[in-house]
Amino acid sequence: AFALRFGGVTYAQFLTSDLVLHVHNVQSVLQGVWVFTEPVPDGTLVPYPPAYYMIVGMLSWLFGQSEEILGLLLKWTASVLDASACLALAWAGARVWSARAGAWAAAAYAASPAAFDLFSAGNYTNIFAQSVLNLTLLLGVAYLGSRARWSWAAPGWLALGFGLTMLGHYGMMLGALVILAFFLVWAVVNSLQRHAQPRAWVVLGAAGLALGASVALYFWRLADLILNQWGGVLSRLTVGQTAAQQSRPGAGDLLGRLLRQSGDLVGWISVISGVGGLAMWGRTAGGARALIGSALAASLVFAALDQLVGDAVRWYYMAAVPLALPAGIYLARLALVRKTGIALALLVAAVMGWQALTFWISLIFTRYH
């Protein structure tokens, strides 16, 4: 996974416009400026939290601070962090299901097209925050899904992961909050039914601590900007039918576009395998299922927002890991069905790899942002 990502972004013909923007932001942080904004495609200013830039800035003390070195550090750290989801999937899959399921899940994510789209665009802070959120959610899945004893270090790591997510990218902060909102609803309903899981409240408590810290450290300074941005989103959702809205595609067209994007950016085989894995994930602890389900539900919310107003978190990237874990379970079960099952599982993996390679090679050679 690392070789695919880092090899692609360092290839001589690979071009992306946003790399220099992030290099300049790292330089700003090194000069003591750490509260700043950037415009989204429609021109709306949004916060740009500096956690990732601070980490790259610290590495630059060792390797140098030229634009070329900073650009290479951005590419290297993003590639390492995104690829690390494969190790986390293998570990979490082994904790809550089996080592085989974890290995298949790691392979499914390594071949997911979702990350390659962001590397192509140069969305490095998005990659950083989503990568940290992936590791945090998988730690949460293992914490909720295994019966092993855990030290109190686990809630601390969860709080740190959620905090770095929120201080790494504003969109991913919103994504994490929607995931946690769905998970909170599940925890409350579960408690009312007298099936409370104390570890679920530990996860929510760690996330609440991270949210409070991120607001106190950074987001209170940009409260007016955030309120204005959300006011614009809500107005686009609630305003009356204008001429532009009257020409908006119908529900069938929007659904068709969403399905095509899912196939292109997540991978049809990954989606089908992930759904199949969810259907056979019954013996996994409810909290682990609920956390994965919350991430998938949040992805669907942002996918709908993307289709309606074009102002959303990159939902396909958010869905990649929550689909890869159940896909690993599905492929592991498939591979147990004698020789035929193993052949089918290998065929599915080959199709996943083929789609990833063709998608990534096309981005490297033909696409410029």
Side-chain angles (χ1 to χ4, degrees), residues 12 21 60 69 79 175 197 265-267 272 281 316 329 339 363:
L21 171 120
S60 74
I69 291 296
S79 299
Q197 291 192 12
L265 298 172
V266 182
I272 294 169
W281 207 10
Y316 51 89
I329 293 169
K339 293 182 179 180
L363 294 180

Side-chain angles (χ1 to χ4, degrees), residues 1-366:
F2 171 77
L4 278 174
R5 287 149 177 78
F6 191 64
V9 295
T10 54
Y11 183 69
Q13 192 168 326
F14 181 82
L15 294 175
T16 179
S17 61
D18 277 4
L19 177 64
V20 176
L21 171 120
H22 294 293
V23 167
H24 290 167
N25 286 346
V26 174
Q27 291 173 333
S28 296
V29 168
L30 288 171
Q31 294 167 5
V33 179
W34 57 281
V35 178
F36 48 90
T37 62
E38 294 289 353
V40 292
D42 67 359
T44 304
L45 291 176
V46 296
Y48 243 62
Y52 182 41
Y53 299 139
M54 289 179 171
I55 292 171
V56 175
M58 287 187 287
L59 290 174
S60 74
W61 297 341
L62 296 174
F63 298 102
Q65 298 180 1
S66 68
E67 287 196 2
E68 292 78 8
I69 291 296
L70 290 177
L72 192 62
L73 286 173
L74 286 164
K75 294 176 180 180
W76 185 82
T77 52
S79 299
V80 167
L81 283 167
D82 185 65
S84 67
C86 297
L87 292 177
L89 280 162
W91 173 76
R95 296 288 296 231
V96 301
W97 193 264
S98 69
R100 286 190 182 91
W104 281 107
Y109 184 74
S112 173
F116 298 130
D117 187 72
L118 271 77
F119 276 102
S120 178
N123 302 120
Y124 285 98
T125 49
N126 197 158
I127 293 169
F128 166 78
Q130 180 68 70
S131 298
V132 174
L133 181 60
N134 288 340
L135 299 178
T136 306
L137 291 177
L138 289 169
L139 173 59
V141 166
Y143 179 69
L144 294 164
S146 69
R147 296 180 180 179
R149 293 177 62 87
W150 290 76
S151 72
W152 281 102
W157 284 112
L158 288 168
L160 178 63
F162 284 123
L164 285 175
T165 299
M166 295 170 184
L167 291 172
H169 187 262
Y170 173 61
M172 288 315 306
M173 175 188 183
L174 300 178
L177 291 178
V178 175
I179 293 171
L180 292 166
F182 280 115
F183 189 65
L184 174 61
V185 170
W186 173 85
V188 170
V189 171
N190 221 35
S191 296
L192 292 175
Q193 294 176 347
R194 298 184 180 181
H195 298 296
Q197 291 192 12
R199 289 185 180 182
W201 293 104
V202 172
V203 173
L204 289 166
L209 179 63
L211 176 61
S214 65
V215 171
L217 289 171
Y218 185 79
F219 285 104
W220 68 272
R221 303 167 186 270
L222 298 166
D224 291 342
L225 190 74
I226 293 171
L227 291 174
N228 289 337
Q229 187 248 340
W230 274 100
V233 173
L234 292 174
S235 67
R236 276 179 280 170
L237 284 172
T238 58
V239 73
Q241 291 291 325
T242 63
Q245 288 173 316
Q246 290 171 1
S247 63
R248 180 183 293 167
D253 294 330
L254 291 175
L255 180 60
R257 186 170 65 186
L258 178 59
L259 291 174
R260 287 193 299 274
Q261 288 177 341
S262 298
D264 291 340
L265 298 172
V266 182
W268 277 116
I269 298 295
S270 297
V271 173
I272 294 169
S273 300
V275 172
L278 288 172
M280 59 177 60
W281 207 10
R283 87 178 195 204
T284 307
R289 289 203 311 271
L291 193 56
I292 289 293
S294 297
L296 289 173
S299 301
L300 289 174
V301 168
F302 288 113
L305 281 174
D306 185 30
Q307 305 307 312
L308 292 173
V309 298
D311 188 0
V313 173
R314 290 173 179 88
W315 53 271
Y316 51 89
Y317 191 30
M318 180 183 289
V321 159
L323 280 172
L325 188 56
I329 293 169
Y330 176 79
L331 292 171
R333 289 286 296 271
L334 185 63
L336 292 175
V337 186
R338 299 182 181 178
K339 293 182 179 180
T340 304
I342 295 173
L344 286 173
L346 290 173
L347 178 62
V348 169
V351 173
M352 287 180 178
W354 173 80
Q355 181 177 13
L357 286 175
T358 55
F359 185 79
W360 189 214
I361 289 171
S362 175
L363 294 180
I364 291 171
F365 283 97
T366 66

